[in-house]
Amino acid sequence: METQISILSGLSPRSEVLHSEDILVGRAADTDLILNHPEVSRRHCRIQKEGETWCIEDLGSRRGTAVNGKPISGRTALRPGDQIHVGPVLLAFGVGAAKMATTVSAAGPTGAVFYKGEAAENIALDGDLAFGRGDDVDVRLDDPLVSRRHAMVKTGPDGCRLFDLKSKTGSFVNGRRFDEHDLVIGDQIQLGPFSFVYDGRSLHRVRRFSVGRIVAVGLTKEADTGPILMRANFLAEPGQLIGILGPSGAGKTTLLNALSGLRPADSGRILIDDADFYTDLDRLRSLFGYVPQDDIVHTDLTAAQALTFAARLRLAAGTPRSEIAKLVNRTISNLGLADRVNLKIHRLSGGQRKRVSVGVELLSRPPILFLDEPTSGLDPLAEFKVMELLRGLADNGCTVVCTTHVMENVYLMDQIVILSKGYVAFQGSPDEAQTKFGVSRLASLYGALQNHEPQPIASSEPLLPAECETRKPPADLARPKKAFSLPILLERQLAIFRSDPKNLAMMLAQPIVIGILVACATSDAPLTQFYIYVATLWFGSSNSAQEIVRELPIYRRERLVGLSRSDYLASKFVWLGGMTVIQSLLLYACIAIIRLGIHGTAQWQLIGLILLAFAATGIGLTISAFATSPVQAAMLVPLFLIPQIVFSGFSPPAKDMSLPVLWLSQIMPSFASERISDTSLLLDQKITGNLITEYRTPYWNTNKWYHAQTGQDLLNGTIYAEKRPVFVAYLSLVLWTLFSFAASFWLLARRERA
């Protein structure tokens, strides 16, 4: 009869048959029974068969090994039904172990949680709470592995502090045993077999102990030039650091993008913890963080500012600001950037910027982290520090997968995946790779690949179990309701703007200088109005034309964590449109002060300028969403501005335009602005010869419109009171704003799909 061993608690329940008489148990990838828990040593214990008897021996582990609750010091015999504590992980040994694990899995990983006498999944931390199995606690945890008074949470002005009450099996935070611990958002707490996650306000129970197992089979990706990834297989266990290696063009980034779902494969399957990744992409994306090759952060912000805004966009609505600050400070400390916290990111070294970029993803404590060339462009010391950071993340239970072409620090990895011409030619430990390719050091690997005929790996091919049906992701993977991101994005825009005083100086100087020049150059009122709205068109389009295309990598990264496309665009419209309004009103005021007044009805002109500012901003954002680079966006702006001048109805006047040209002009925002200007100059005034002479273009443009509506000309002595042209022009500018928002939205969605 087969001998089995099963996980009962501490990790996700499962059973395995002992196919060998010498079983190495631990956290390392090369052990026979892998227990991916940070408190399990890399080689924790050994189970061997001597004749007809099975024995277990501890291998000097940090947490020790116990059988039926008694620590072992030497070789100890095992009997069917024995329970083995491998650190915090409880195993069942022998016949019937699989049945025990199945019972545990079917009933959930642990018993019930009772808060104030009622079953609960969320425990609000609004006061001091005692956890345990006894009757005198606030939160009762029904399981024999929990002490009667196991742990306590105390709340104070600085947040929540967790205390272990000398429990028998210990209390753990993020896999580490503790006596006292200040809780930080994302902390994973284990009390006996119960697991909770701290969200800044409460403890949320989770029914998953170890996540991050990735199984991929037959991934294929086609490009215009042919296949770039062919039948690729991949396997990652939780808590492993895996490097994807290969020469340029081998398909490293393509495989990483397929595994992360950023650009899914054309065919093939990926399971993450037995759930089909591509089927449940939106929900399972919450499991991973993605760090692209470039350092995608706002470099005008400090590290603390960048991480704070990133945390606010990622965390649940209502998360206290004080808890966010604690999370950011803890992350900065873990990144080794405490002495650089107030420096702007562009002043940090390459390695430090890379650590900030990694830190953005660590804020949400993802169990899986993908990185594309994390050491690209770094010096050897900075490269080592980044790889050491990734090694530490893996040791704490995070599955880390990164592409790299640098071999010096490969020894820090549990496994490497070698790609050649689109095929996965090898997956295994670095030592096994040296043996397979016959090289004395891995730096010679690329030379060996030139003589190696690529083909899919077979011996270690990670196949999907035929008897295993994929399951739906657990309910606790659902993304929490995020905070409304529009005010956060606007606050970040303000912080970026304030980071450089030159931004404010240039924004204010432009309209003042232009206003002085216009006031000195002409006293003609219609021409002055023409200059004001042409300048407003220029302010709006130039302010926004490079905004989206410059931030596109950051936007794509934040979309992966749930940023709303409409909120992002709305923040750009509000912020850049507001800046353009300030500039246009400052220009208007500057000319009015120098000229001691403005001709015409000021309120109609000011409303028109505000609407024109947002229409011009929207058009600039549409250009930005369409352009492929900031340089191209800047080149497209004149193609928008010059037609605005030509078809404005001022030069040449609308009365001199042929009918087809007039029809084209009437859809232009500049034509709407000219109609507002013309009407505001004539409104409530008596038509006289002097007025016609002073306002020649406004009069003839208005007369042409008036004749088209009434069949007669404006006559001398008539007081002009028709306001309809103004409202039609206002409507035109509003429609331009709405149209440009919709066009930007569609173009941005298209860029995402591409």
Side-chain angles (χ1 to χ4, degrees):
M1 187 174 293
E2 293 178 333
T3 302
Q4 298 170 328
I5 193 165
S6 300
I7 299 174
L8 299 184
S9 66
L11 292 172
S12 299
R14 73 175 193 269
S15 297
E16 293 189 13
V17 175
L18 302 184
H19 294 291
S20 170
E21 295 185 354
D22 189 346
I23 305 297
L24 184 62
V25 181
R27 184 165 46 85
D30 58 352
T31 55
D32 303 297
L33 178 60
I34 301 173
L35 303 178
N36 282 288
H37 193 292
E39 286 294 302
V40 174
S41 298
R42 297 181 67 80
R43 287 171 174 76
H44 197 104
C45 61
R46 185 184 299 275
I47 300 175
Q48 291 179 305
K49 189 174 185 180
E50 298 178 351
E52 297 299 320
T53 304
W54 287 90
C55 298
I56 186 170
E57 177 185 12
D58 185 75
L59 300 179
S61 63
R62 180 176 55 185
R63 288 291 315 281
T65 307
V67 175
N68 298 325
K70 296 180 180 180
I72 63 174
S73 56
R75 297 175 68 82
T76 302
L78 291 174
R79 293 174 297 179
D82 280 348
Q83 294 190 357
I84 306 168
H85 276 95
V86 180
V89 180
L90 178 61
L91 306 177
F93 174 78
V95 178
K99 183 178 180 180
M100 295 171 64
T102 302
T103 302
V104 170
S105 180
T110 63
V113 175
F114 293 92
Y115 177 46
K116 296 182 179 179
E118 297 182 358
E121 296 294 308
N122 291 288
I123 302 167
L125 300 179
D126 50 7
D128 296 349
L129 297 177
F131 293 71
R133 186 166 44 88
D135 296 328
D136 59 341
V137 296
D138 303 292
V139 182
R140 184 157 58 87
L141 309 176
D142 279 348
D143 193 276
L145 294 177
V146 177
S147 299
R148 297 187 64 81
R149 287 181 62 84
H150 197 105
M152 174 170 282
V153 174
K154 292 186 177 181
T155 59
D158 297 327
C160 297
R161 190 169 180 83
L162 183 61
F163 296 84
D164 180 71
L165 302 179
K166 298 182 179 179
S167 59
K168 179 175 64 175
T169 57
S171 303
F172 300 85
V173 172
N174 304 323
R176 306 294 184 186
R177 192 164 186 164
F178 70 94
D179 293 321
E180 298 180 15
H181 177 80
D182 288 320
L183 288 176
V184 177
I185 294 172
D187 277 346
Q188 298 183 17
I189 302 158
Q190 185 175 334
L191 308 176
F194 295 85
S195 278
F196 303 90
V197 172
Y198 178 62
D199 65 4
R201 296 171 297 170
S202 60
L203 294 181
H204 172 62
R205 187 184 181 191
V206 292
R207 285 177 164 80
R208 51 189 173 96
F209 294 95
S210 180
V211 295
R213 187 173 193 264
I214 307 170
V215 181
V217 171
L219 301 182
T220 299
K221 185 74 174 178
E222 297 281 341
D224 294 338
T225 57
I228 50 177
L229 194 65
M230 291 171 280
R231 303 191 303 280
N233 300 318
F234 180 88
L235 173 65
E237 297 290 349
Q240 288 186 339
L241 172 57
I242 298 181
I244 301 176
L245 285 69
S248 298
K252 301 188 296 296
T253 299
T254 302
L255 176 58
L256 190 77
N257 289 340
L259 293 172
S260 65
L262 191 63
R263 292 181 178 85
D266 297 328
S267 62
R269 295 185 67 196
I270 299 177
L271 296 189
I272 294 184
D273 299 322
D274 297 330
D276 192 294
F277 185 33
Y278 289 163
T279 301
D280 293 285
L281 191 59
D282 289 338
R283 293 185 68 188
L284 288 171
R285 267 182 174 161
S286 62
L287 283 175
F288 73 82
Y290 182 86
V291 182
Q293 183 173 349
D294 297 326
D295 300 325
I296 300 180
V297 285
H298 291 95
T299 58
D300 290 327
L301 300 176
T302 66
Q305 287 176 318
L307 292 176
T308 298
F309 285 119
R312 291 174 62 189
L313 288 171
R314 283 162 169 75
L315 298 177
T319 303
R321 291 287 187 93
S322 59
E323 293 294 334
I324 292 176
K326 285 171 59 179
L327 172 64
V328 169
N329 291 336
R330 177 70 60 84
T331 303
I332 287 174
S333 177
N334 291 340
L335 294 171
L337 296 173
D339 58 340
R340 297 288 187 270
V341 65
N342 293 319
L343 280 180
K344 293 179 182 177
I345 294 174
H346 68 77
R347 296 181 59 191
L348 300 177
S349 68
Q352 291 167 342
R353 287 196 300 271
K354 180 61 67 177
R355 278 182 271 168
V356 173
S357 192
V358 173
V360 167
E361 297 300 334
L362 297 183
L363 292 166
S364 55
R365 303 286 183 89
I368 304 172
L369 184 62
F370 295 102
L371 305 99
D372 189 11
E373 297 283 1
T375 59
S376 176
L378 302 183
D379 61 70
L381 179 59
E383 176 192 314
F384 173 75
K385 287 185 175 295
V386 170
M387 293 302 298
E388 193 177 42
L389 171 65
L390 300 183
R391 177 69 265 170
L393 294 174
D395 289 339
N396 281 296
C398 181
T399 304
V400 182
V401 182
C402 65
T403 62
T404 184
H405 62 276
V406 180
M407 298 293 188
E408 283 75 5
N409 297 307
V410 167
Y411 68 91
L412 293 172
M413 298 177 177
D414 296 298
Q415 290 198 358
I416 57 175
V417 175
I418 300 175
L419 272 75
S420 177
K421 300 178 183 178
Y423 289 96
V424 175
F426 171 82
Q427 177 170 358
S429 69
D431 291 339
E432 292 172 337
Q434 289 181 244
T435 302
K436 176 177 177 61
F437 292 97
V439 294
S440 58
R441 57 193 187 95
L442 286 175
S444 306
L445 179 63
Y446 290 153
L449 284 175
Q450 294 180 352
N451 301 320
H452 183 267
E453 185 64 28
Q455 56 184 359
I457 57 175
S459 60
S460 58
E461 191 174 71
L463 298 175
L464 297 176
E467 71 277 5
C468 176
E469 293 186 2
T470 58
R471 60 175 177 81
K472 298 292 291 182
D476 55 41
L477 287 184
R479 280 177 174 166
K481 183 180 178 182
K482 300 291 181 65
F484 181 40
S485 54
L486 178 57
I488 301 172
L489 294 170
L490 290 173
E491 191 176 337
R492 184 171 69 181
Q493 289 282 169
L494 178 61
I496 295 171
F497 183 74
R498 292 175 56 189
S499 66
D500 189 352
K502 293 180 182 178
N503 292 333
L504 178 61
M506 292 181 64
M507 189 195 82
L508 298 179
Q510 286 178 349
I512 292 174
V513 171
I514 294 173
I516 293 172
L517 293 175
V518 170
C520 294
T522 181
S523 60
D524 183 74
L527 181 59
T528 299
Q529 290 290 317
F530 174 74
Y531 284 144
I532 290 175
Y533 67 72
V534 168
T536 299
L537 284 165
W538 177 68
F539 290 149
S541 57
S542 61
N543 286 343
S544 56
Q546 299 184 46
E547 193 72 12
I548 292 177
V549 68
R550 185 173 58 228
E551 280 194 356
L552 195 59
I554 296 177
Y555 167 76
R556 281 174 171 158
R557 184 177 188 178
E558 292 178 341
R559 278 287 286 162
L560 290 176
V561 295
L563 176 66
S564 164
R565 188 186 305 125
S566 57
D567 283 356
Y568 176 78
L569 275 178
S571 72
K572 296 300 180 185
F573 266 84
V574 172
W575 174 258
L576 297 170
M579 284 182 58
T580 305
V581 167
I582 292 172
Q583 288 180 296
S584 61
L585 295 182
L586 187 58
L587 171 63
Y588 188 93
C590 183
I591 294 174
I593 291 171
I594 295 175
R595 293 275 187 77
L596 302 178
I598 288 285
H599 294 273
T601 310
Q603 62 265 34
W604 300 114
Q605 296 170 2
L606 292 174
I607 294 172
L609 278 180
I610 292 171
L611 294 177
L612 180 63
F614 281 98
T617 298
I619 292 168
L621 289 173
T622 303
I623 291 173
S624 191
F626 173 78
T628 57
S629 69
V631 173
Q632 187 182 93
M635 295 172 64
L636 288 172
V637 170
L639 294 180
F640 158 70
L641 285 176
I642 293 173
Q644 301 307 309
I645 297 172
V646 173
F647 298 106
S648 66
F650 181 83
S651 178
K655 71 180 184 67
D656 295 335
M657 292 180 176
S658 63
L659 196 58
V661 174
L662 183 60
W663 287 343
L664 176 62
S665 298
Q666 286 177 341
I667 67 172
M668 296 291 180
S670 60
F671 190 90
S673 299
E674 179 63 26
R675 180 171 285 180
I676 295 168
S677 172
D678 293 343
T679 306
S680 71
L681 290 172
L682 298 180
L683 197 62
D684 298 328
Q685 298 205 54
K686 182 183 289 187
I687 304 300
T688 64
N690 289 335
L691 183 70
I692 295 172
T693 301
E694 185 178 2
Y695 299 147
R696 181 173 299 276
T697 298
Y699 169 77
W700 286 112
N701 285 346
T702 304
N703 184 61
K704 181 164 184 151
W705 177 87
Y706 189 81
H707 186 277
Q709 300 296 316
T710 64
Q712 56 187 354
D713 293 335
L714 282 170
L715 301 177
N716 281 353
T718 303
I719 295 177
Y720 184 74
E722 181 60 68
K723 298 177 181 178
R724 268 192 300 169
V726 174
F727 293 116
V728 171
Y730 287 169
L731 178 61
S732 175
L733 294 177
V734 170
L735 291 176
W736 265 104
T737 303
L738 296 176
F739 171 77
S740 59
F741 186 94
S744 301
F745 189 92
W746 179 78
L747 288 169
L748 199 52
R750 189 178 179 185
R751 296 291 288 271
E752 290 177 36
R753 291 192 297 269

